[in-house]
Amino acid sequence: MASVDRHHLDLYLAICKPQDPEDPVHWMMMMAHPGAERCTWLHCEGFRGDRRTEIEEGKRFNSWGIDTKDFLCRIPVSEGITVVQEALALPKQSCRWWVLYLMLRLEDKGLMPEGTHNHWKGHRDTGSTENFGTGCLGETY
């Protein structure tokens, strides 16, 4: 078993498997210590008019419900709270836009490589028009 690096956190874009072929594809961000089997899922759930931000610790990194995981960046463990604060500062909206704007907020903080948001913006378009932006980039909770 590989050792777990407790000094860093890796951020991933996770795209989930639809539970039903008619369901939209769900996007979320995952935050994990390198080598760990458990991680934190950060996402926006619900439906138009009834969204909620979810920060779920202790989730399986290799969950059967995740279709793909793409590595985004590595950050010092001390910046994990910043990721959570930026997630909570986002307007609740479709999961795809929510994750994309979390990437943008993390780019603004210098935690994620510049251009990450733009790279993923054109991938797997879900057709959602529920796009409420980043909120104030200087504002965190």
Side-chain angles (χ1 to χ4, degrees):
M1 186 165 147
S3 66
V4 175
D5 175 355
R6 297 284 177 196
H7 301 286
H8 296 95
L9 291 165
D10 287 345
L11 299 179
Y12 292 84
L13 166 63
I15 298 177
C16 299
K17 297 174 187 173
Q19 293 181 5
D20 184 276
E22 302 297 315
D23 288 346
V25 174
H26 185 64
W27 285 38
M28 64 181 178
M29 195 172 289
M30 298 170 69
M31 184 167 60
H33 291 286
E37 294 180 10
R38 298 285 171 172
C39 65
T40 299
W41 291 359
L42 304 104
H43 53 132
C44 192
E45 287 192 324
F47 52 89
R48 187 181 299 271
D50 187 25
R51 300 271 185 206
R52 64 193 174 283
T53 300
E54 296 286 344
I55 311 294
E56 300 179 87
E57 297 179 0
K59 302 299 277 187
R60 290 184 57 226
F61 181 74
N62 290 314
S63 171
W64 65 267
I66 296 172
D67 190 27
T68 62
K69 290 185 295 261
D70 290 280
F71 177 79
L72 300 171
C73 65
R74 178 167 286 174
I75 61 172
V77 73
S78 60
E79 294 293 353
I81 190 67
T82 303
V83 174
V84 170
Q85 289 171 339
E86 294 301 316
L88 293 172
L90 281 164
K92 293 164 185 61
Q93 56 197 305
S94 76
C95 59
R96 176 179 177 267
W97 286 111
W98 187 90
V99 168
L100 286 168
Y101 288 130
L102 179 53
M103 290 176 186
L104 194 59
R105 290 182 75 99
L106 295 176
E107 282 183 39
D108 186 62
K109 295 284 185 187
L111 297 178
M112 191 165 284
E114 189 174 327
T116 304
H117 168 264
N118 284 337
H119 172 77
W120 288 103
K121 189 176 176 182
H123 288 262
R124 289 196 178 188
D125 186 9
T126 61
S128 175
T129 58
E130 193 181 26
N131 174 351
F132 302 128
T134 61
C136 177
L137 284 177
E139 177 183 311
T140 56
Y141 288 83

